[in-house]
Amino acid sequence: MTSLEAVSSYLPPTISVAELRDPLGLDDQQVRRFTRLYGLDRICQAPDQTEADMLLTAAGKLDELAGQEDRVRYVIRAKGLRTTAPYPVSPLQQVREALGLRNATVFSVADHGCATGLLAVDTAGTLLEADGDPDALALVLAGDKTFTPFSQWVADVSIMGEGMTAVLVGANGPRDRVLGYHARIVGREDGIIDLDPEGAREAKRIYQDVMSDVIHCALDDAGLTMADIHLVLPHNVNRVSWTVAAKELGIAPGRIFLENIAKTGHCFCADPFVNYQSARELGLLRPGAAYLMTSAGLGQSFAAMVLEH
């Protein structure tokens, strides 16, 4: 059964939403909406660091990786964006070489937007199971650089941060075992993910219903109900969407971990793992408790994963 062997994060220094007013071309109303209504305050940014630098910093915090490099069979880059570095730069190959992962096959997964991190964990588990070696590991690297204007914010939705995470995945670990996973894309036939006015209206219309259905499908896969879930570790899109989701799911808002929204911004597909690490440090996950990771991304991609700590 797929398991999370270890999770580490790198959260670079932050800048306030107010300081991003001019760089992003925000007006006063938008600044107020992001801060007072959506709960955003500080946004992770690392303008002087490359994507490879940031990924290496996150992976370097994985104490469980030290001395186990030869066990890593796969390095999987979870990309919320299709392009995260200018050609021919390959941050993923740079990370593989710097970490000394000689036996690892490297590749990226994308096109699930900010839900790609959970897809990468599921992919890692599938490959490790097929590999048949109980000692084999996979390293999932999640998070993106906001190196284009398009990637820096989603109008009237969220502002993107540059936090990165490294997740060591095993085939049959003793804790943080994956009990259920479900993903869905409700995209356009032409594959365009830009939120034009019509697309934004459609995204808003379906968002809560599809997210709720995907979560319940993952719960069904795990043989559990929402009442069995101790904590929800979401993507940090904004506070309002999760206040509404709590009502839709029939749970108390306090069961959804929202503390990082104000501290990091929306760090693409790294969010659930950033929240996992914070929840562990705060003692919010008890042994044997079931918890839920969720995420959604541009292109109307949705994913949910149920795990047992």
Side-chain angles (χ1 to χ4, degrees):
M1 183 178 292
T2 305
S3 58
L4 309 186
E5 300 290 316
V7 177
S8 63
S9 303
Y10 170 57
L11 300 176
T14 60
I15 186 172
S16 70
V17 172
E19 291 175 275
L20 289 169
R21 183 187 187 281
D22 291 337
L24 296 183
L26 305 176
D27 58 34
D28 291 339
Q29 183 179 9
Q30 288 172 313
V31 171
R32 287 193 296 271
R33 182 183 298 116
F34 279 128
T35 55
R36 299 180 187 179
L37 182 62
Y38 291 172
L40 297 164
D41 182 27
R42 310 290 302 183
I43 310 297
C44 289
Q45 286 198 345
D48 298 327
Q49 291 181 288
T50 67
E51 179 179 327
D53 291 336
M54 298 172 68
L55 291 171
L56 279 170
T57 302
K61 296 181 178 182
L62 284 175
D63 293 337
E64 292 81 356
L65 179 60
Q68 306 299 319
E69 290 85 357
D70 288 345
R71 294 174 57 194
V72 177
R73 298 290 187 270
Y74 305 97
V75 180
I76 305 175
R77 179 74 174 96
K79 297 165 61 172
L81 301 169
R82 291 172 179 172
T83 302
T84 59
Y87 178 84
V89 176
S90 176
L92 184 55
Q93 291 290 351
Q94 293 173 352
V95 170
R96 174 186 180 273
E97 293 174 8
L99 293 176
L101 304 178
R102 295 171 292 273
N103 298 328
T105 298
V106 300
F107 62 94
S108 297
V109 290
D111 286 336
H112 278 228
C114 293
T116 306
L118 299 181
L119 169 68
V121 170
D122 181 67
T123 301
T126 300
L127 290 171
L128 290 171
E129 182 180 4
D131 191 77
D133 181 354
D135 294 325
L137 299 170
L139 177 63
V140 172
L141 301 169
D144 290 275
K145 284 286 292 183
T146 58
F147 76 103
T148 65
F150 169 81
S151 65
Q152 292 173 348
W153 70 303
V154 181
D156 297 329
V157 176
S158 196
I159 300 176
M160 311 308 290
E162 294 186 328
M164 302 282 181
T165 57
V167 184
L168 200 60
V169 180
N172 193 27
R175 61 170 175 80
D176 292 312
R177 300 180 302 147
V178 177
L179 306 180
Y181 168 74
H182 190 77
R184 186 178 307 167
I185 295 179
V186 191
R188 293 168 43 156
E189 291 183 358
D190 56 15
I192 292 176
I193 63 173
D194 295 11
L195 280 180
D196 56 23
E198 180 182 352
R201 286 192 295 270
E202 177 64 10
K204 184 177 181 180
R205 185 185 70 81
I206 71 170
Y207 181 90
Q208 293 294 342
D209 287 342
V210 177
M211 177 59 80
S212 178
D213 189 50
V214 167
I215 287 173
H216 283 291
C217 286
L219 288 168
D220 288 344
D221 192 28
L224 301 175
T225 69
M226 203 66 217
D228 299 311
I229 297 300
H230 178 68
L231 188 66
V232 178
L233 304 176
H235 58 298
N236 298 330
V237 59
N238 63 58
R239 184 172 57 202
V240 169
S241 68
W242 286 110
T243 300
V244 175
K247 295 179 181 178
E248 181 76 21
L249 295 170
I251 63 173
R255 288 171 61 192
I256 303 178
F257 186 83
L258 301 177
E259 281 76 357
N260 283 329
I261 289 177
K263 299 176 183 178
T264 66
H266 179 17
C267 297
F268 298 92
C269 54
D271 280 344
F273 309 111
V274 171
N275 289 335
Y276 166 86
Q277 187 174 16
S278 295
R280 281 205 66 188
E281 291 171 353
L282 292 170
L284 299 179
L285 291 173
R286 64 172 186 264
Y291 62 97
L292 176 72
M293 289 183 172
T294 66
S295 202
L298 289 178
Q300 304 315 306
S301 58
F302 300 84
M305 182 171 283
V306 182
L307 303 97
E308 181 183 59
H309 187 53

